[in-house]
Amino acid sequence: MGQREAEPPRTVTGYAPAPPNPPGTRPSPSPRPVSAVPGATATNAAHVETEVPVANTYGAEETAAEPREDDPPLAMEAMRAVQILNPSGEITMPRPARPRVMCVANQKGGVGKTTTTVNLAVALALHGNRVLVVDLDPQGNASTGLNVPHHAGIPDVYDCLIENVPLADVAQPVEGIPNLHCVPATIDLAGAEIELVSVVARESRLGRAIQAYPTEFDYVFIDCPPSLGLLTVNALVAAQEVLIPIQCEYYALEGLNQLLNNINLVKAHLNPTLDVSTILLTMYDRRTRLADAVEQDVRNHFGDKVLTSVIPRNVRVSEAPSYGQSVMTYDPGSRGATSYFEAAQEIAERGAKIGVTA
């Protein structure tokens, strides 16, 4: 029963032993596997540097501690920007068999009606469709977003509704966007609600003006004011489809029933071909459960009418109008531009499939 014989030194095949830490110092990081370090042996494994040279595909060396993680997102953003701007001018979004007149309506303000109108129109026009935007809101925000003059004295949609001026004499081409025209709205339109009361066939004046337009468009978007007055009724009578932007918040759902009731009244008495064809969810904040709950409620109620694309909250979308641009041209690589591009593509593909008539 003597002393135990000393064990022979073990061969290091896994982790290298770490030297003890001097008193008062921070513990050293966990040792790395020797097999993962090129040139490491059992005798020098404890002194291997933490930054290990790694050969890349070009034969140069870079450290594993400095991965180039930003390059792929930037490259993807650049590719999205080129795809959205479509510099070749090719028709990449299918054109409908006949013109689609779409009324963008919601009686609640601030849900994204004007933003949706402007960005969908620009996206479709950039990809080969002929688009007309009719700004029917006295605030003239759609005209601002398209950089179309709409100060007092400019011929606008008011002249068409009250003075019977042809729509073609009022429409202006949008600078920098081929195939896109806009009928602006000035502050004069604020009095149209009162003046239309005594006008014959007051509900159908906009519809007749659009039908008399000499040029045929693929899409006509009518941006409505946040109310259910005569201007919105004119838009509902002139259109064959209604696009309803819905903000992903509770208040946006509260007045939806009243809007749908008014649409049904117009359909029953003035425009039997009117149909709510498209629902677009806007200002979606994926960080909140409320947004997800609103989305599920809308999809359960409207089914396939709700676009798969959802517009997130994005600061670029809000910044673009201050530069007189849509987000499609202001920052084509942003999430907001990508979302509106996908929504426009979805609208175009649906229109080509169902063959919507004007």
Side-chain angles (χ1 to χ4, degrees), residues 11-296:
T11 304
V12 180
T13 57
Y15 292 94
N21 297 304
T25 61
R26 297 177 60 185
S28 59
S30 301
R32 303 179 59 186
V34 178
S35 58
V37 181
T41 63
T43 57
N44 65 3
H47 305 286
V48 175
E49 298 291 337
T50 56
E51 291 188 357
V52 184
V54 179
N56 59 22
T57 55
Y58 299 98
E61 288 189 348
E62 60 183 8
T63 59
E66 298 177 356
R68 302 175 62 180
E69 297 177 353
D70 292 339
D71 287 351
L74 290 175
M76 292 175 61
E77 184 175 336
M79 292 175 61
R80 287 199 303 266
V82 173
Q83 182 186 19
I84 290 173
L85 291 175
N86 191 26
S88 64
E90 297 179 0
I91 302 176
T92 58
M93 291 186 184
R95 294 166 61 178
R98 296 184 182 180
R100 300 179 68 182
V101 183
M102 305 186 74
C103 166
V104 184
N106 193 325
Q107 69 188 49
K108 186 181 183 303
V111 298
K113 292 187 298 294
T114 299
T115 302
T116 296
T117 301
V118 168
N119 288 297
L120 290 180
V122 171
L124 289 165
L126 285 174
H127 291 263
N129 285 266
R130 300 162 297 180
V131 185
L132 174 68
V133 173
V134 179
D135 191 353
L136 208 61
D137 189 346
Q139 299 177 83
N141 290 336
S143 305
T144 301
L146 294 174
N147 199 25
V148 173
H150 60 100
H151 53 80
I154 293 288
D156 70 330
V157 69
Y158 170 86
D159 300 315
C160 302
L161 295 176
I162 306 300
E163 306 295 338
N164 290 322
V165 175
L167 208 62
D169 295 346
V170 177
Q172 302 182 34
V174 177
E175 183 180 358
I177 309 295
N179 304 319
L180 179 58
H181 289 73
C182 176
V183 177
T186 67
I187 194 62
D188 296 338
L189 192 60
E193 291 271 6
I194 299 174
E195 297 183 47
L196 281 172
V197 172
S198 59
V199 174
V200 177
R202 58 190 180 187
E203 300 92 353
S204 59
R205 295 183 74 84
L206 179 61
R208 286 185 293 171
I210 293 175
Q211 291 175 3
Y213 204 100
T215 305
E216 186 176 86
F217 291 96
D218 298 309
Y219 289 88
V220 178
F221 288 100
I222 307 173
D223 183 31
C224 295
S227 66
L228 296 176
L230 275 174
L231 291 177
T232 301
V233 171
N234 259 270
L236 292 173
V237 174
Q240 276 68 49
E241 302 178 59
V242 182
L243 189 159
I244 305 178
I246 299 179
Q247 184 182 7
C248 292
E249 292 186 4
Y250 174 74
Y251 283 145
L253 296 177
E254 210 172 24
L256 196 57
N257 284 335
Q258 188 175 353
L259 173 63
L260 295 175
N261 289 337
N262 281 44
I263 291 174
N264 290 331
L265 286 174
V266 172
K267 183 175 182 179
H269 300 284
L270 298 170
N271 185 5
T273 63
L274 186 64
D275 180 48
V276 178
S277 65
T278 310
I279 306 290
L280 178 63
L281 295 168
T282 62
M283 303 181 189
Y284 182 85
D285 191 345
R286 64 181 70 254
R287 298 171 299 178
T288 64
R289 294 182 179 179
L290 176 62
D292 183 64
V294 171
E295 179 184 8
Q296 295 303 320

